[in-house]
Amino acid sequence: MTPAAWVLALPVRAYRLLLSPYVGHNCRYTPTCSAYALEALQKHGALKGGWLTLRRLARCHPWGGFGVDDVPD
């Protein structure tokens, strides 16, 4: 993972550690958005991985889709 991607992954890791246990497990997609973000940042780096994460978060709403949504290669 690049240094910039590692920095962007810090808030995701903090969310998973501090907030996720209290919010509940109501994810519409598999893998969860936080797991998707970490994988995208690891595979594609800060710029493209961050963009993929933002796109995924924008799709996560009550009228959005559901199901398996893997990180593209």
Side-chain angles (χ1 to χ4, degrees):
M1 189 178 290
T2 65
W6 189 84
V7 169
L8 287 178
L10 286 176
V12 177
R13 289 188 181 118
Y15 165 78
R16 291 182 92 178
L17 181 67
L18 301 173
L19 294 177
S20 182
Y22 301 108
V23 174
H25 302 287
N26 301 321
C27 295
R28 304 175 63 80
Y29 292 105
T30 303
T32 63
C33 289
S34 58
Y36 182 96
L38 292 175
E39 185 179 349
L41 290 168
Q42 183 177 10
K43 269 188 176 180
H44 298 289
L47 192 61
K48 186 173 181 184
W51 173 249
L52 289 171
T53 300
L54 289 175
R55 283 185 47 217
R56 169 68 178 270
L57 290 173
R59 289 192 310 263
C60 190
H61 54 80
W63 301 280
F66 60 90
V68 177
D69 183 25
D70 292 325
V71 176
D73 288 331

